[in-house]
Amino acid sequence: MASRETALVEITPDVLLKAYACGIFPMAESADDPALYWIEPERRGVIPLESFHVPARLARSVRRTSLTVVADRDFDSVIAGCGEAGPGRARTWINTRIRNLYRGLYDIGHCHTVEVYDGDELVGGLYGVSLGRAFFGESMFHRARDASKIALVHLVARLKAGGYKLLDTQFVTDHLRNFGAVEMPRRQYHKLLEAALVGESDFLALGKHAVSGAQVLAQFGRDKSAPL
């Protein structure tokens, strides 16, 4: 289900948080369209945190990579990266209103990033909304092999360490199914959301600084000394 808001309707960060609490999120038709659509899918994508799957090859990459992964360092560059056209994505839905709205959420501590660097160069990352013990994944990007996948593994490790109960992916893609994403009816999703909105979480339980692959994999119960 979707409803269109005109460009003249003001949506504040507070309104946006209330929408998320109701299971609704905004999208734009394109980067050039100033209007937003409120989206409430009939079937919702979720990655169960307790059964998140890290493929063996990716686990090796997470442990051995020379890339550096941090949180909440450069929101503007992350959302700009998510708004880039790329393979399989000729255009983006991230318009100026989306950038400004989520920047507002970031400024008040309800939007977070996971950022992947090769030296000083940002090569991948993701951002999403945090509310209660729910995290709503918005978008991700990569400019280097496995960078967005590594960001996702680091995200889930942070969510597990920070006491989150729900990772909402909005929709399910074949890519996300590789990590254990499932699709559920709206009513079932709302029950999970209602429970996850109760209580507090800490996205920065592992800090903003670089977190090693061994620290991340430890959140999934892997033996730090085990060869990968």
Side-chain angles (χ1 to χ4, degrees):
M1 183 178 74
S3 62
R4 192 177 194 271
E5 293 289 346
T6 71
L8 300 178
V9 175
E10 181 183 9
I11 302 174
T12 65
D14 185 57
V15 169
L16 193 52
L17 289 177
K18 290 178 180 177
Y20 274 98
C22 295
I24 305 169
F25 58 89
M27 292 186 73
E29 182 68 24
S30 71
D32 299 323
D33 185 351
L36 299 180
Y37 289 84
W38 289 114
I39 309 293
E40 188 181 16
E42 290 287 346
R43 298 186 65 81
R44 195 68 165 242
V46 168
I47 295 181
L49 295 175
E50 67 279 4
S51 57
F52 180 75
H53 174 63
V54 185
R57 188 193 67 78
L58 180 57
R60 288 193 294 272
S61 294
V62 169
R63 179 185 290 279
R64 298 174 181 176
T65 185
S66 61
L67 301 175
T68 301
V69 187
V70 302
D72 289 0
R73 177 184 292 178
D74 189 350
F75 173 84
D76 294 326
S77 292
V78 171
I79 198 168
C82 290
E84 293 174 350
R89 185 173 62 183
R91 63 177 184 170
T92 177
W93 53 271
I94 298 176
N95 63 11
T96 299
R97 292 182 76 197
I98 290 286
R99 294 184 190 220
N100 291 340
L101 274 172
Y102 288 88
R103 175 72 208 205
L105 287 184
Y106 177 78
D107 289 341
I108 61 175
H110 280 285
C111 192
H112 296 283
T113 64
V114 175
E115 306 167 24
V116 184
Y117 290 87
D118 184 356
D120 293 329
E121 181 185 2
L122 181 67
V123 295
L126 56 82
Y127 75 97
V129 174
S130 177
L131 186 61
R133 295 188 295 172
F135 190 88
F136 308 85
E138 283 297 316
S139 188
M140 63 175 64
F141 77 101
H142 70 277
R143 298 170 183 150
R145 182 182 179 185
D146 286 346
S148 61
K149 296 177 183 178
I150 289 171
L152 180 58
V153 175
H154 275 253
L155 169 67
V156 175
R158 285 183 173 278
L159 299 184
K160 291 171 73 70
Y164 287 81
K165 298 300 181 184
L166 174 65
L167 172 52
D168 174 357
T169 67
Q170 299 178 349
F171 305 102
V172 173
T173 63
D174 290 340
H175 171 69
L176 291 177
R177 283 192 178 92
N178 292 330
F179 297 94
V182 297
E183 196 175 58
M184 63 183 58
R186 184 188 298 167
R187 181 176 296 181
Q188 182 181 355
Y189 168 77
H190 275 282
K191 289 181 179 179
L192 292 180
L193 176 60
E194 182 179 357
L197 292 176
V198 178
E200 297 182 356
S201 57
D202 182 6
F203 187 84
L204 299 177
L206 298 179
K208 286 188 176 183
H209 56 274
V211 179
S212 72
Q215 287 176 283
V216 164
L217 294 175
Q219 296 298 324
F220 302 98
R222 292 179 181 269
D223 182 356
K224 292 183 182 180
S225 62
L228 291 171

